[in-house]
Amino acid sequence: MQTVRHSEHTLKTALISKNPALVSQYEKLDAGEKRLMEEAFRPDSDLFGPITLHSQSDWITSHPEAPQDFEEFFNDPYRKTPSPQKHSIYIQCIGLLGNTRSISEEYVKWLKGYCEAFFYGLTVKLLEPVPVSATRCSFRINDNTQNLQIHAGQILKFLKKKKPEDAFCVVGITMIDLYPRDSWNFVFGQASLTDGVGIFSFARYGSDFYSSHYEGKLKKLQKKSSSDYSVFDNYYVPEVTSVLLLRSCKTLTHEIGHIFGLRHCQWLACLMQGSNHLEEADQRPLDLCPICLRKLQSAIGFHLKDRYKGQRA
């Protein structure tokens, strides 16, 4: 086990910046907001702690990345920001998320409510659920796990075509496993930051996915034609549990954070930390560290007190 610690000076600079204009912007926050933000560089803080690495396979060790401080985020010419005309996050459900339509609808409502609290100030809307056949995407059986998978990149193209005029972004969610290209085993999700679309699968978050008794395994794909999607008609969907819902909330908000331009956090324990495996994802906190929180606040313009009230509700 290893702890990633930064000096007080490093964290203070990452949060506030040395740029006079950004320092002035920070000073305009009210006293309560600054008090919370400055917990980032208090060594004895009970609210925000350092990142703990549990194995060599953890994200920071296996995927070295340059850290993104607030100034770099703010000055990124490619990041997109919501506007009065594009102020909505849309969620597009692909296939059922629960064993029945009513469970699936309830699950999506939970995700919608959580996103509204997390991205406080934006409107979250639900698009009408669609079957896999509506996307016209390619699909296959994974050679290793024998479960059905759908092509992530082709679904992004489908979402781009469906993107409403007032959308900041459209995120597709599914309980079917994803693959980005034939040579890849799987992917949890994929996004296009320039197009403001993403697709994320919760299939591997079910408690039974890696079990030898997983009911979603298929031995052979019997497809009459490229337009035959009948294999999805009665496809296995895992039971919706509190653990599955928690993992789904984390993944959805993490990935939408990327669409806002937040890169993987390497400062403190944070929702925006990268994760290489399910155990590491479970260890991430539900919310953002102060540095990433300031990034999101600058993009949306919420008051911290209002946002936390919304999350508590």
Side-chain angles (χ1 to χ4, degrees):
M1 190 179 293
Q2 179 186 348
T3 301
V4 179
R5 289 189 184 275
H6 299 282
S7 69
E8 180 180 336
H9 174 76
T10 298
L11 290 171
K12 190 172 185 177
T13 303
L15 172 67
I16 301 174
S17 170
K18 290 183 176 178
N19 182 314
L22 297 184
V23 173
S24 175
Q25 183 190 100
Y26 178 81
E27 290 302 324
K28 291 176 183 176
L29 298 177
D30 69 33
E33 290 184 307
K34 285 193 281 188
R35 192 160 55 246
L36 175 71
M37 293 286 196
E38 288 167 11
E39 286 287 325
F41 45 84
R42 298 192 196 285
D44 57 347
S45 174
D46 294 325
L47 297 178
F48 307 102
I51 295 171
T52 301
L53 304 179
H54 294 267
S55 73
Q56 287 300 309
S57 64
D58 282 2
W59 183 272
I60 287 181
T61 307
S62 54
H63 293 82
E65 297 174 278
Q68 180 196 49
D69 59 19
F70 176 76
E71 182 174 343
E72 187 176 357
F73 166 83
F74 189 83
N75 292 328
D76 183 353
Y78 300 107
R79 73 178 177 90
K80 294 189 179 297
T81 303
S83 68
Q85 295 75 34
K86 297 187 180 295
H87 208 250
S88 299
I89 294 171
Y90 280 86
I91 298 176
Q92 172 69 74
C93 184
I94 298 172
L96 287 176
L97 294 184
N99 296 326
T100 66
R101 188 176 182 85
S102 61
I103 292 175
S104 186
E105 289 172 353
E106 193 66 24
Y107 183 17
V108 176
K109 285 178 184 176
W110 269 99
L111 293 175
K112 175 182 181 291
Y114 189 76
C115 278
E116 284 177 334
F118 195 95
F119 300 102
Y120 189 83
L122 297 188
T123 304
V124 180
K125 301 178 181 179
L126 300 178
L127 292 170
E128 192 66 28
V130 298
V132 176
S133 58
T135 70
R136 313 312 298 170
C137 70
S138 301
F139 56 96
R140 72 179 188 184
I141 292 179
N142 183 290
D143 291 335
N144 299 314
T145 52
Q146 267 73 60
N147 63 295
L148 267 173
Q149 294 182 303
I150 50 181
H151 195 289
Q154 292 171 9
I155 294 175
L156 290 182
K157 292 179 181 177
F158 166 78
L159 295 173
K160 183 181 176 182
K161 289 177 184 177
K162 284 199 66 178
K163 190 176 181 182
E165 283 295 317
D166 67 334
F168 168 69
C169 66
V170 179
V171 290
I173 56 175
T174 184
M175 203 59 81
I176 304 165
D177 207 25
L178 300 171
Y179 72 103
R181 57 179 68 96
D182 291 342
S183 59
W184 279 52
N185 183 28
F186 80 97
V187 68
F188 283 115
Q190 190 172 340
S192 169
L193 307 192
T194 53
D195 294 328
V197 294
I199 174 67
F200 316 112
S201 170
F202 306 140
R204 294 178 181 246
Y205 292 161
S207 58
D208 60 345
F209 185 87
Y210 294 100
S211 163
S212 58
H213 306 295
Y214 179 63
E215 294 180 44
K217 291 184 178 181
L218 296 174
K219 291 181 180 178
K220 189 177 181 182
L221 187 62
Q222 294 182 332
K223 191 160 70 167
K224 297 172 185 175
S225 68
S226 59
S227 59
D228 179 13
Y229 289 86
S230 60
V231 70
F232 294 99
D233 291 346
N234 297 299
Y235 181 63
Y236 172 72
V237 177
E239 180 186 2
V240 176
T241 64
S242 57
V243 172
L244 178 59
L245 182 59
L246 176 64
R247 289 169 173 170
S248 302
C249 286
K250 281 186 175 183
T251 296
L252 190 57
T253 48
H254 174 102
E255 298 299 345
I256 295 175
H258 283 318
I259 295 176
F260 274 90
L262 278 75
R263 297 212 299 263
H264 285 132
C265 182
Q266 300 185 53
W267 304 110
L268 295 160
C270 177
L271 176 81
M272 290 308 298
Q273 284 172 240
S275 62
N276 228 15
H277 46 82
L278 193 54
E279 183 182 356
E280 186 178 18
D282 283 344
Q283 288 159 354
R284 290 185 305 199
L286 260 174
D287 209 354
L288 303 170
C289 74
I291 296 164
C292 292
L293 184 58
R294 189 184 177 199
K295 295 173 187 177
L296 190 64
Q297 183 190 38
S298 75
I300 299 178
F302 51 71
H303 191 286
L304 294 187
K305 187 176 180 180
D306 294 334
R307 179 177 178 271
Y308 280 119
K309 277 184 178 178
Q311 286 184 294
R312 186 177 180 183

